[in-house]
Amino acid sequence: MNHFKVSIGYSKSKPIIIIYYNQKRYRYWNGKAIDVNLKSIENSTLLKAAFELKLLEGWKPKEIKVKAKPLTVIQALEKGIQTKIAQRCSERFIKDAKRVVTLWRRYEVAHNRRDLTLDNLQVSDISNFLIRPNWSPKTQRTVKSTLSPLLSEFKPNLVQSVKLKKPISTLHKPINKINEILIHIKEYNSHLHLCCLMTYGCLLRPHREIRELTWGDFSEDLNYIHLSGNRNKSGRNRIVPVPSYIRDLLIKGAPYDNIFSGKPQPLNQDYFKTLWSRFKRQSDTLEQGQTLYSFRHTGAIEIFRRTGSLTKLQKAMGHSSINISLTYLRGLEIAELKEEDMPMV
């Protein structure tokens, strides 16, 4: 048996018929649903009685299906970010993703495409958004790689269909006067000095692998660093020797403390990037093209010079492929090599 209740309510100070039918609420401003030409504002009591009579005769209220508004690109991007947060993506990716949303808002305003819906999103929109004269090919590809997973749930292949120019590969210029530059860096900032020294001597990557190091990552005698696969780019577990000139600077703390902050939390993601930029602006010893990663490249060249072994170089660098290690040797001005050119054992 269907249960119902009819009452008179008020919305914006005007009477309205409210019906509860099978625990669902329905609201009516007039009698059109029961073929009665009467508005609630004219005689709400009479209209209430008319609805009660119809319900007793077996009439059932019909659910009005509200047509869903089409999803906008901005809404889709924001939903994509929430999905990535739920998937526990890195803070860096989430930060970049939010930046992409801001850039897309500006694109819509600049191109008179406000509130652009997914249904109306064209390849030309993605292309115009990514390909800009003030963005390098590398920047375009970086933004594309962030935009694509955010829209993949809604437009799986749209972003990937946009073809971009391949960026010109640039090598971080090796450092010849390594000791002289390290002395200048030590005078500038001790944290940056230790970071550069470990980038060179341990061949670790500065912005994550070194920045996130805790004392628990070191062996008891500080001779080795143990990094699990989820802590380095290659995804493989690594054991890295620590040279004596680095050990001499280390004063071991609590296992869970970061070696730079002295707390369980590492310093912010851009800490070394900011320090390096500031040092570079006031330095007269650095050459054009020399970056924080130049210490890693210089260390790679030094290992190859001393050992002549590409296998040892690959292991020291933590590379998944020997081809990647070969790119670091361009600073030696040796002939271009490929993996298949190397001697077989």
Side-chain angles (χ1 to χ4, degrees):
M1 182 177 179
N2 294 320
H3 299 279
F4 64 84
K5 179 183 177 182
V6 185
S7 61
I8 300 172
Y10 288 87
S11 177
K12 298 179 181 179
S13 301
K14 295 179 181 180
I16 186 172
I17 305 302
I18 300 175
I19 299 175
Y20 282 92
Y21 185 88
N22 287 346
Q23 298 182 342
K24 289 185 179 181
R25 189 182 71 163
Y26 302 86
R27 304 197 308 169
Y28 297 93
W29 293 97
N30 54 57
K32 185 177 179 181
I34 54 175
D35 297 323
V36 173
N37 187 20
L38 182 65
K39 295 179 180 179
S40 60
I41 196 172
E42 295 171 346
N43 192 330
S44 57
T45 303
L46 183 58
L47 185 59
K48 173 178 176 289
F51 272 106
E52 287 174 331
L53 182 60
K54 282 289 185 181
L55 286 164
L56 289 171
E57 292 175 352
W59 176 80
K60 297 178 182 179
K62 292 182 180 179
E63 291 189 27
I64 301 173
K65 293 182 179 180
V66 180
K67 189 177 180 181
K69 292 182 179 180
L71 202 65
T72 67
V73 177
I74 295 294
Q75 290 171 335
L77 291 173
E78 289 174 341
K79 283 178 178 288
I81 290 176
Q82 293 306 312
T83 299
K84 295 304 174 185
I85 291 174
Q87 293 172 351
R88 304 184 72 178
C89 288
S90 69
E91 291 180 8
R92 168 64 71 179
F93 179 84
I94 300 303
K95 182 180 178 181
D96 290 345
K98 290 179 179 178
R99 175 63 177 165
V100 165
V101 175
T102 300
L103 291 170
W104 187 271
R105 288 184 194 276
R106 292 176 184 173
Y107 165 79
E108 288 191 359
V109 172
H111 291 76
N112 198 25
R113 301 280 279 166
R114 286 184 178 87
D115 298 321
L116 178 64
T117 64
L118 282 175
D119 294 338
N120 294 324
L121 181 63
Q122 304 294 324
V123 175
S124 59
D125 289 307
I126 304 296
S127 181
N128 292 335
F129 173 70
L130 293 174
I131 303 174
R132 312 184 184 197
N134 60 328
W135 282 5
S136 67
K138 183 177 180 181
T139 299
Q140 294 172 14
R141 284 176 174 262
T142 300
V143 175
K144 179 182 177 181
S145 67
T146 305
L147 179 66
S148 182
L150 296 180
L151 291 178
S152 61
E153 179 184 345
F154 311 97
K155 295 281 187 176
N157 302 312
L158 188 66
V159 178
Q160 292 301 326
S161 65
V162 176
K163 304 300 180 183
L164 301 175
K165 289 183 180 179
K166 189 175 181 180
I168 299 172
S169 178
T170 56
L171 184 69
H172 303 276
K173 188 176 181 180
I175 301 170
N176 294 321
K177 299 177 181 178
I178 188 76
N179 288 325
E180 180 183 342
I181 290 180
L182 283 171
I183 289 171
H184 283 252
I185 295 173
K186 187 176 183 180
E187 293 171 351
Y188 179 75
N189 184 279
S190 60
H191 280 177
L192 183 61
H193 175 250
L194 180 57
C195 175
C196 292
L197 208 57
M198 296 187 78
T199 305
Y200 169 74
C202 299
L203 285 86
L204 295 176
R205 298 169 180 88
H207 300 302
R208 184 186 177 193
E209 293 174 358
I210 293 177
R211 181 181 61 85
E212 294 182 354
L213 280 175
T214 67
W215 293 112
D217 295 322
F218 289 79
S219 60
E220 193 63 33
D221 56 7
L222 299 178
N223 282 330
Y224 291 93
I225 295 171
H226 302 257
L227 281 184
S228 59
N230 62 355
R231 296 274 304 282
N232 65 83
K233 192 175 179 180
S234 68
R236 299 179 178 183
N237 294 339
R238 292 179 66 190
I239 299 177
V240 182
V242 181
S244 59
Y245 56 82
I246 295 177
R247 293 200 305 272
D248 292 342
L249 300 176
L250 302 177
I251 302 175
K252 192 166 186 177
Y256 294 103
D257 283 350
N258 181 269
I259 70 170
F260 296 101
S261 69
K263 303 174 182 178
Q265 297 78 23
L267 298 168
N268 73 76
Q269 298 176 68
D270 295 323
Y271 180 75
F272 288 122
K273 180 181 178 181
T274 302
L275 272 181
W276 179 259
S277 297
R278 291 173 179 171
F279 171 74
K280 190 175 181 180
R281 283 197 295 269
Q282 58 89 56
S283 174
D284 56 4
T285 55
L286 287 174
E287 299 176 14
Q288 185 70 27
Q290 288 180 338
T291 70
L292 194 50
Y293 272 88
S294 293
F295 290 95
R296 182 170 152 86
H297 284 244
T298 305
I301 291 170
E302 181 65 17
I303 282 181
F304 185 73
R305 278 178 174 158
R306 293 175 62 183
T307 67
S309 170
L310 283 169
T311 303
K312 286 185 177 180
L313 175 62
Q314 180 188 356
K315 288 182 178 179
M317 300 295 286
H319 288 151
S320 57
S321 168
I322 202 169
N323 283 328
I324 302 173
S325 302
L326 286 170
T327 64
Y328 282 68
L329 302 182
R330 284 181 286 179
L332 285 177
E333 297 181 355
I334 60 176
E336 280 292 325
L337 295 171
K338 296 180 180 178
E339 186 173 357
E340 52 265 30
D341 298 329
M342 306 313 295
M344 302 293 291
V345 291

